[in-house]
């Protein structure tokens, strides 16, 4: 048994995403993330992840059209969402709504590659609508019917604002964030999704497993914790004393460290730049300045680098997105990667069933209750 947590264990062969933790490189189907973040769009990246190659103009137009046409939710799901407790965590509400979708999809149990690809399209298109509706409904606002036009990023911001046209900087910033979060090899949520898919359960069940894993604070939940920490620190002057207190309490600094990257997380490079640009644009660079000091301190004190969750927090904050939607936004993006991995798993499946090294007792003899109580007393 190694270091636990399946560290460095190769658990699947995959042609989707390559993470080189030593060189700090992230590659989707052969394309460096820096190239994609600079030149591509989220829709194009979705095509790439699902097909292993960049699309032609017409292939991209077809996929974009399918994603636009599938944004609306079944009315039964909207009605059920209106009955969710107002204080439900958005990730709980998202997990439950996605689970419900399967009951209104006649293809839910259909396992042909075509039917599974339809489900990939539907879920990728519907999750942004669910996340926006969660926020509208809990704030007592009317849900807005999604338009069958524009990018996924634009549609999400439009729905979230209750029907206002988002500005171009916000759309492109979110689009880049979605590209950066789209896939990351066998991260915890994708692995959870693949394990579920490998039982040949349906696409929705595999997605729900992935959403459940993403919710945890050691995974996608970290971005929300980062902004809470920044708000708690409040000022640049408070950063160091606050960090010292956290170290003294043996608390982890959220948004730092990574199982695979031993160097800079290449996604953080882009998000740092975006955080700075959005700060300058809004005339409030405080969050960026604080983030830089935290980053330098944690590197000096603990030797840890910022991960994707660190700068995405201040980016989303400056885009005016409610804090508890940060992890659901991660899900909006990662749905594309989960789908790619679920499809890849179905295409070449074998049940994923590892072994555990047994560390419990052996060779005990069963005893009746009276004697067990005596045993308790002796202890
Ligand atoms: N702050 C302080 N110390 C840390 C941190 C951190 N963020 N991360 C790791 N360490 C320390 C641990 O305390 C441990 O120290 P020890 O050996 O003295 O006990 C050592 O570094 C190794 O840490 P592990 O948690 O065992 O490393 P692992 O590879 O399992 O963890 C993880 C990776 C979960 C990302 C971890 O770094 C962490 O908890 N970070 C904070 C949460 C976070 O940002 N998660 C998002 C990850 S990226 C993503 O999922 C999208």
């Amino acid at each position: 048994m190694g270091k636990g947590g399946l560290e460095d264990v190769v658990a699947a062969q995959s042609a989707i995403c390559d993470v080189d933790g030593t060189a700090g490189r992230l590659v989707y189907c052969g394309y460096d993330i820096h190239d994609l973040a600079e030149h591509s769009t989220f829709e194009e990246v979705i095509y790439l992840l699902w097909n292993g190659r960049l699309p032609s103009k017409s292939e991209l137009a077809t996929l974009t059209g399918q994603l636009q046409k599938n944004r609306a939710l079944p009315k039964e799901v909207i009605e059920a969402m209106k009955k969710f407790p107002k204080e439900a965590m958005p990730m709980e509400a998202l997990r439950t709504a996605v689970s419900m979708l399967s009951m209104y999809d006649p293809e839910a149990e259909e396992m042909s590659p075509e039917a599974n690809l339809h489900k990939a399209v539907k879920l990728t298109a519907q999750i942004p609508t669910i996340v926006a509706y969660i926020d509208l409904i809990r704030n007592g606002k009317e849900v807005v019917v999604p338009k069958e036009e524009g990018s996924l990023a634009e549609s999400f911001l439009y729905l979230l604002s209750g029907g206002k046209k988002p500005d171009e900087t916000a759309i492109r910033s979110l689009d880049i964030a979605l590209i950066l979060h789209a896939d990351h090899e066998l991260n915890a949520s994708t692995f959870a999704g693949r394990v579920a898919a490998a039982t040949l359960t349906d696409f929705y069940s595999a997605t729900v497993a992935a959403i459940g894993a993403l919710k945890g604070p050691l995974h996608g939940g970290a971005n929300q914790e980062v902004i809470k920490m920044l708000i708690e620190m409040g000022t640049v002057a408070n950063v160091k004393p606050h960090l010292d207190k956290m170290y003294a309490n043996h608390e982890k600094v959220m948004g730092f460290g990574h199982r695979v990257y031993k160097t800079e997380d290449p996604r953080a490079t882009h998000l740092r730049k975006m955080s700075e640009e959005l700060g300058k644009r809004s005339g409030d660079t405080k969050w960026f300045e604080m983030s830089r000091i935290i980053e330098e301190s944690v590197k000096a004190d603990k030797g840890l680098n910022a991960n994707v969750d660190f700068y995405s927090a201040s980016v989303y904050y400056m885009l005016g997105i409610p804090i508890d939607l940060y992890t659901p936004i991660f899900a909006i993006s990662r749905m594309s990667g989960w789908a790619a991995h679920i499809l890849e798993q179905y295409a070449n499946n074998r049940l994923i069933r590892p072994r555990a090294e047994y560390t419990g007792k052996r060779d005990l003899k069963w005893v009746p209750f009276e004697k067990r109580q005596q045993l308790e007393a002796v202890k």
Side-chain angles (χ1 to χ4, degrees), residues 276-286 289 318:
E276 183 174 19
E277 283 167 5
L278 287 170
K280 281 184 183 154
R281 178 173 161 261
S282 69
D284 181 7
T285 52
K286 177 176 112 171
E289 284 165 34
M318 285 185 277

Side-chain angles (χ1 to χ4, degrees), residues 42 52 91 97 99 117 121 204 244 250 257 297 310 357 370 377-378:
F42 182 49
M91 281 302 281
S99 186
L117 194 55
V121 168
Y204 288 94
D244 286 339
H250 304 288
S297 305
F310 187 63
E357 181 187 358
E370 315 79 72
V378 171

